[in-house]
Amino acid sequence: MELVSQNKVFGGAHRRYRHRSATLGCDMVFAVFLPPQALAGEKVPVLYWLSGLTCTDENFMQKAGAFRTAADLGLAIVAPDTSPRGEGVPGDPDGSWDFGLGAGFYVDATQEPWSKHYRMHDYVVNELPALVEAEFPVTGLRSISGHSMGGHGALVCALRNPGRYRSISAFAPISNPTDVPWGQKAFGHLLGPERIGWLAWDASVLIAGSDERLPLLVDQGEADSFLESQLKPERLKEAADAAGYPLTLRRHAGYDHSYYFIASFIDDHLRHAARALEIA
């Protein structure tokens, strides 16, 4: 790994690293917050944060305001990028912002030319945690959270990989991607035209077949301009209720899709993870 930058914050350390990803076939940058307990030699659990469309690791680390509470709890945070990047990595063929670079949708692509690089699910679930657990003072205990496209990613990573995480949470996730424009565009490119193959990447479908029961917290702003057209949290709630899955869905009047919303409730999500990780 190559250290890109570092900052001291609330007695801990925020660092950015670059490494060569065998899974994605390109160089990747990720960020890690190590709380003061880790810097003192204690191994701490990790919350993985998956960001949304157009974001990088920097959006959450700079805007969410998570470090004070994470430092108090003794919780590391790891934030990967949202897609593969670099020369030779294809972007949106139409040049738009909602697919391709910065918008990998946390699936493992099966279609060319995407399948060579767009394997963000495998990267987030397997390669990155293996690297983090080998290189940093962290335990093998993990929780996962995310926003929008990253909320979809967090849900799918946990639901597809029982035993991998202790809790899930999400802000304004794309809850039913097979039935909204963002998901249909991305899945059509990455997974091909046969919609039956999309269902394995849709949280509102996966939750019905899950044998694991992780604590799941979802926050949704009611002033979110994407609520009705792209997010559809009611689909996730209906599926969870039908399956007896322990979902807490909170709707907040006046809040939108921005990091102002995330910053307002991030402490709840950190404590949600900490309880499951048995550090709170």
Side-chain angles (χ1 to χ4, degrees):
M1 296 189 303
E2 173 193 355
L3 179 64
V4 176
S5 65
Q6 60 181 326
N7 313 92
K8 186 171 183 177
V9 54
F10 292 109
H14 164 260
R15 299 173 183 166
R16 300 183 75 218
Y17 290 92
R18 181 180 292 109
H19 76 108
R20 184 70 181 177
S21 168
T23 301
L24 303 178
C26 62
D27 288 347
M28 292 293 287
V29 173
F30 70 94
V32 58
F33 170 71
L34 295 172
Q37 296 88 335
L39 299 186
E42 179 183 342
K43 286 195 170 186
V44 299
V46 180
L47 174 67
Y48 287 85
W49 172 270
L50 307 184
S51 291
L53 291 164
T54 75
C55 291
T56 68
D57 63 283
E58 294 184 283
N59 296 75
F60 178 82
M61 292 302 201
Q62 293 180 5
K63 297 179 180 180
F67 297 145
R68 184 192 297 272
T69 297
D72 289 344
L73 291 168
L75 180 64
I77 303 173
V78 171
D81 203 343
T82 50
S83 79
R85 298 183 192 264
E87 185 178 350
V89 176
D92 192 307
D94 299 321
S96 56
W97 57 272
D98 57 357
F99 171 71
L101 302 181
F105 273 83
Y106 304 103
V107 306
D108 289 341
T110 59
Q111 305 297 301
E112 294 291 345
W114 322 104
S115 57
K116 181 178 179 181
H117 298 287
Y118 283 80
R119 301 187 57 80
M120 285 299 293
H121 181 82
D122 190 9
Y123 176 72
V124 165
V125 171
N126 296 308
E127 184 181 17
L128 184 59
L131 178 65
V132 167
E133 289 163 22
E135 297 291 338
F136 298 104
V138 300
T139 69
L141 300 179
R142 315 170 197 91
S143 285
I144 193 164
S145 185
H147 171 230
S148 192
M149 178 189 70
H152 143 75
L155 290 163
V156 168
C157 285
L159 291 170
R160 285 176 59 100
N161 296 278
R164 193 76 174 150
Y165 304 98
R166 292 293 186 92
S167 70
I168 326 169
S169 71
F171 289 86
I174 304 173
S175 295
N176 190 196
T178 59
D179 198 38
V180 300
W182 279 342
Q184 290 167 348
K185 177 178 180 178
F187 288 6
H189 284 305
L190 297 171
L191 304 174
E194 297 297 327
R195 295 195 175 206
I196 190 70
W198 300 2
L199 300 180
W201 302 98
D202 188 317
S204 292
V205 175
L206 290 171
I207 205 166
S210 175
D211 294 327
E212 190 173 51
R213 294 291 183 266
L214 297 179
L216 169 55
L217 172 64
V218 172
D219 278 323
Q220 175 62 61
E222 292 191 336
D224 190 321
S225 60
F226 302 115
L227 176 58
E228 299 301 327
S229 61
Q230 303 282 10
L231 305 178
K232 300 189 182 295
E234 68 279 0
R235 304 278 181 85
L236 185 67
K237 182 67 164 60
E238 291 165 2
D241 287 347
Y245 201 97
L247 164 64
T248 299
L249 173 61
R250 309 189 304 186
R251 299 178 71 117
H252 304 275
Y255 285 92
D256 59 19
H257 200 68
S258 71
Y259 266 84
Y260 295 106
F261 171 47
I262 294 171
S264 298
F265 299 101
I266 188 62
D267 284 357
D268 292 346
H269 289 244
L270 296 173
R271 294 190 178 102
H272 171 80
R275 285 190 295 272
L277 294 163
E278 300 180 352
I279 57 171

